[in-house]
């Protein structure tokens, strides 16, 4: 059983932010910023791509509801909402979860670096085959 399934089962302690029959939100142990929260489905899916679309939509709806409450109550000025998918993207727990990272200050310790690359945009579009 994965570590988040163990938490959901109550075998490993956690700080619960929200719980219903389908979803659990807990404080991330790393507390990247104050109130850093993880929202997860109780049913195990390795990543969001493995989820049925309606369940993913419900998960994101729950993440929005929780964000709407915790951002003002923490006195944060915004948040980043993040889903790491697979090891290449930094996913370390293979039970899909949404990070809600409250942001207080532009000069805090979080940096998302979108470095520019010189891809040909038309070639990129052709590669995407949508
Ligand atoms: P990710 O890298 O997107 O897979 O995120 C996994 C997150 O889970 C990390 O931010 C960890 O700090 C967090 N984490 C790992 N173990 C626990 C735990 N036992 N309780 C709360 N958060 C955890
Ligand atoms: Zn799991």
């Amino acid at each position: 059983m994965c570590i988040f399934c163990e938490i959901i089962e109550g075998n490993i302690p956690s700080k619960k932010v929200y719980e219903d029959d389908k979803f659990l939100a807990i404080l991330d142990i790393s507390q990247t910023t104050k109130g850093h929260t993880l929202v997860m489905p109780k049913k195990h899916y390795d990543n969001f791509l493995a989820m049925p679309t309606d369940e993913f939509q419900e998960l994101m709806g729950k993440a929005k509801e929780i964000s709407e409450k915790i951002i003002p109550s923490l006195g944060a000025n915004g948040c980043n909402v993040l889903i790491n998918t697979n090891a290449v993207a930094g996913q370390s727990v293979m039970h899909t979860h949404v990070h809600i990272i409250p942001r207080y200050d532009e000069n805090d310790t979080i940096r998302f670096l979108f470095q520019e690359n010189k891809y040909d945009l038309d070639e990129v579009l052709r590669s995407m085959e949508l």
Side-chain angles (χ1 to χ4, degrees), residues 4 9 20-21 25 27 31 35 41 66 73 75 77-78 90 92 94 98 101 106 109-110 118 120-121 123 127:
F4 285 177
E9 290 294 315
D20 64 23
D21 54 334
L27 290 183
Q31 286 300 285
I66 293 168
S73 65
N77 298 312
S92 60
M94 298 299 154
V98 181
I101 305 172
E106 285 162 35
T109 52
I110 302 199
K118 302 266 178 252
D120 176 79
L121 296 186
E123 197 283 317
S127 309

Side-chain angles (χ1 to χ4, degrees), residues 5-6 12 16-17 26 31 36 39 83 89 99 105 107 109 121:
C5 283
E6 295 280 9
I12 293 177
K16 285 183 191 172
V17 174
I26 61 170
Q31 286 300 285
H36 180 184
V39 190
I83 304 175
H99 292 258
D105 182 341
N107 299 313
T109 52
L121 296 186

